[in-house]
Amino acid sequence: MTDSNEPASRREAEANMPFEIDPASVRTEYELLHLMRRLISRYGFAHFMIARLPLADEQRFSERLVLSNWPAELVQQYDAGETFQTSELVERLRQTKLPVTGGPELMEPAGKGAGKAAVIRLPPHAGMGHFAVLLHTTYGEPFVAVLSGTRDEPAGAERATLYLALLQLFECLERTFDAGSGAREKLSSREVKCLRWAAAGKSSDEIAIILGISAYTVSSYFKSATRKLDAVNRMQAIARAMRMKLI
């Protein structure tokens, strides 16, 4: 007869083993995504998210996201409701350096009247618990890392292991930020301007009028910027430029 507690027992045994990460060996965002997926699979989570901690700006939630496998419809809800910056999660992370855990209420506005609208708990996030930590880059910029799932709240050695794993993964992520310094030197001022206006929702024709150049020239700038950022298309180039804080 198969032991019904076998999956839980296996997870408990694995929790006592270190999650092997060699930050120096992680060179690309794809490799980092693979490691994040391994982490949540090993510890029974369903979703992960790393985002810049909201400050006093009005930047949309989707623009704060750096690495995530959240459902697109859920990200859109946080954009529409503007609740992330006033959430219980962000409020608690600002008050502690220790991991923060809780249920779906963590992702909702803290206190009455916070945010424009409560976020509907869409599947598969409905009923999920969250394990979150506050992390800082070498230069002090705050980020939040969140693991979400329907499993029990991490405790003891597993809690410490998850914290260390997220810290190591964040160091890998910061290395990809550093890679942007080379791209910053390579991108011309016109390429940066084209990317910035495109990120603001302007079309190539509109950008051409704004910059006083032809649409063909705008297209050429996009092609060269995409190549320099090692992106596959314009949208990915814009996303990478934003992530590297080039625009």
Side-chain angles (χ1 to χ4, degrees):
M1 180 181 294
T2 302
D3 185 357
S4 60
N5 293 322
E6 183 180 349
S9 300
R10 187 185 305 118
R11 191 170 67 223
E12 183 177 351
E14 289 179 340
N16 295 322
M17 298 171 59
F19 185 75
E20 299 294 339
I21 300 172
D22 178 12
S25 68
V26 181
R27 301 178 182 276
T28 67
E29 186 177 300
Y30 175 81
E31 292 172 327
L32 185 57
L33 281 168
H34 178 68
L35 283 172
M36 289 296 296
R37 291 190 180 103
R38 275 184 50 203
L39 179 70
I40 63 172
S41 175
R42 177 168 175 174
Y43 291 97
F45 292 97
H47 297 287
F48 63 84
M49 179 266 283
I50 297 179
R52 289 182 171 84
L53 192 73
L55 299 175
D57 62 310
E58 295 297 326
Q59 191 179 29
R60 297 170 61 195
F61 173 63
S62 58
E63 293 173 351
R64 290 189 178 98
L65 278 180
V66 177
L67 207 65
S68 167
N69 71 339
W70 275 31
E73 63 270 24
L74 196 63
V75 173
Q76 291 167 0
Q77 275 206 5
Y78 279 99
D79 269 343
E82 297 183 9
T83 55
F84 181 63
Q85 57 264 45
T86 60
S87 67
E88 180 71 23
L89 173 68
V90 170
E91 183 67 23
R92 288 177 59 181
L93 283 173
R94 284 176 172 149
Q95 299 174 19
T96 182
K97 295 180 177 64
L98 298 176
V100 169
T101 57
E105 72 282 351
L106 274 184
M107 305 305 292
E108 295 179 354
K112 288 186 176 181
K116 288 187 176 180
V119 174
I120 299 171
R121 296 175 184 175
L122 287 176
H125 258 217
M128 282 193 176
H130 306 286
F131 176 88
V133 297
L134 179 65
L135 301 168
H136 292 83
T137 65
T138 305
Y139 304 103
E141 186 179 4
F143 284 72
V144 53
V146 183
L147 304 179
S148 307
T150 56
R151 49 150 293 163
D152 295 336
E153 182 178 308
E158 186 182 40
R159 187 182 180 98
T161 299
L162 285 170
Y163 196 4
L164 177 59
L166 287 172
L167 187 62
Q168 290 176 316
L169 287 165
F170 186 71
E171 181 172 338
C172 297
L173 180 61
E174 190 174 0
R175 288 174 184 270
T176 69
F177 295 161
D178 293 339
S181 61
R184 184 180 291 107
E185 294 172 359
K186 294 177 183 177
L187 288 178
S188 69
S189 60
R190 279 296 175 89
E191 289 167 344
V192 171
K193 287 179 181 178
C194 286
L195 289 170
R196 185 177 293 130
W197 282 116
K202 301 297 184 182
S203 67
S204 292
D205 288 339
E206 290 172 323
I207 295 172
I209 294 171
I210 292 170
L211 299 181
I213 56 180
S214 70
Y216 175 80
T217 303
V218 170
S219 179
S220 296
Y221 282 136
F222 277 125
K223 287 179 181 178
S224 57
T226 299
R227 184 182 67 255
K228 291 175 182 179
L229 291 168
D230 194 26
V232 298
N233 54 41
R234 181 183 303 190
M235 292 306 297
Q236 188 180 53
I238 293 169
R240 290 191 174 183
M242 292 177 67
R243 196 155 50 239
M244 293 174 179
K245 303 184 77 172
L246 302 177
I247 59 175

